[in-house]
Amino acid sequence: MRMAIITGGSKGLGLALCQQFETRGYRVLEFSRTAPHAYSVRADLSSPADYAQVITKAIAPLDADGLEDLVVINNAGTLEPIGAASLQSRRAVLANLNTNFTSAILGLTELIAKFQCAPCRKVLANISSGAAHKGYAGWSLYCASKAGMEGFVRALAMEQQLQPHPFIPININPGVIDTEMQAGRRDASVADFPEVARFIRRKNEGGLVAPERVATAVLSILALPTLAFGGCYETDAVAV
């Protein structure tokens, strides 16, 4: 059995990834708050402890020995709240960091523990962002969590190389995608996001890429015969 486990597959890039894996004959398991697919599991990443329990229960019946190929994609994320972190409520700050960072790590570690001994090819891909490497006023929480996840994946890759049946952890920068998250950036006030005009201009000039095209590039990266443990890959560099 070939299997793809994806978080945040209800819309945008995650939805396109789910659809393309399903088309290619993978069994898909998707985790999101709205859980819109027959293969979805409802999960709230803003509550890490609850999310970890949901993941554990969902994967318990799966036969690790029966896997021929496993792809795990950490895609779920939120930009909210936009604006200076010092002006946000504690609840909003924790919800952002829990969703983008804490729950992501808890979920991935549950999946790794379940499938570590499976002898098949196993790739763990974190969907990152340019915000992991560049600071943006109004995005301090998002930038911090994206940078943190890239660091986690790099260290995880070093750990996995010590395993007899390792996962191959990688980061993927998907570029600028035409999604609801992008729309939310353009709707922000200048006070909360000083670079909003540049993002509006990019949309008007056709500078955003369709999720389906980015998903095709992601699958092309995942299918590479040799992937570097802890490597960072750019979808912009892939011809689709």
Side-chain angles (χ1 to χ4, degrees):
M1 175 179 65
R2 296 187 299 165
M3 186 164 198
I5 301 176
I6 301 169
T7 65
S10 62
K11 55 188 176 181
L13 176 59
L15 173 60
L17 288 168
C18 286
Q19 293 170 336
Q20 293 197 25
F21 273 110
E22 190 175 24
T23 298
R24 298 186 186 199
Y26 279 73
R27 176 178 175 181
V28 180
L29 181 61
E30 186 267 340
F31 293 90
S32 63
R33 189 167 47 192
T34 57
H37 313 296
Y39 48 76
S40 292
V41 176
R42 193 175 303 278
D44 183 1
L45 277 75
S46 68
S47 177
D50 291 343
Y51 176 62
Q53 290 181 355
V54 168
I55 289 260
T56 302
K57 182 178 179 180
I59 64 177
L62 298 178
D63 178 16
D65 293 331
L67 288 173
E68 302 171 13
D69 181 39
L70 175 63
V71 177
V72 175
I73 301 181
N74 176 56
N75 170 72
T78 180
L79 186 59
E80 299 298 328
I82 297 175
S86 60
L87 301 179
Q88 311 305 324
S89 69
R90 293 175 183 173
R91 182 185 298 273
V93 170
L94 287 173
N96 179 288
L97 297 178
N98 284 341
T99 299
N100 292 335
F101 187 71
T102 307
S103 285
I105 291 177
L106 280 177
L108 291 176
T109 53
E110 291 292 327
L111 291 166
I112 291 168
K114 170 70 177 181
F115 298 110
Q116 185 70 81
C117 293
C120 65
R121 183 178 191 261
K122 304 187 295 276
V123 179
L124 184 156
N126 172 55
I127 302 300
S128 190
S129 165
H133 304 277
K134 178 183 177 180
Y136 291 88
W139 291 9
S140 54
L141 301 175
Y142 185 72
C143 292
S145 57
K146 286 298 184 180
M149 282 305 301
E150 284 208 4
F152 171 74
V153 167
R154 287 192 295 270
L156 177 64
M158 298 176 71
E159 296 171 356
Q160 284 297 304
Q161 289 180 83
L162 304 176
Q163 296 292 326
H165 302 295
F167 280 81
I168 305 173
I170 62 172
N171 289 299
I172 298 179
N173 184 348
V176 187
I177 316 173
D178 196 1
T179 62
E180 287 185 19
M181 183 179 285
Q182 274 289 328
R185 295 169 181 177
R186 296 191 300 273
D187 288 340
S189 68
V190 174
D192 285 338
F193 181 39
E195 293 193 52
V196 64
R198 181 166 66 87
F199 278 71
I200 293 172
R201 185 167 60 252
R202 175 179 285 163
K203 169 66 173 178
N204 293 338
E205 294 174 352
L208 304 182
V209 184
E212 295 76 15
R213 184 176 177 86
V214 176
T216 299
V218 169
L219 265 69
S220 295
I221 291 169
L222 296 173
L224 290 172
T226 56
L227 286 170
F229 280 80
C232 186
Y233 294 84
E234 307 273 345
T235 58
D236 291 348
V238 178
V240 295

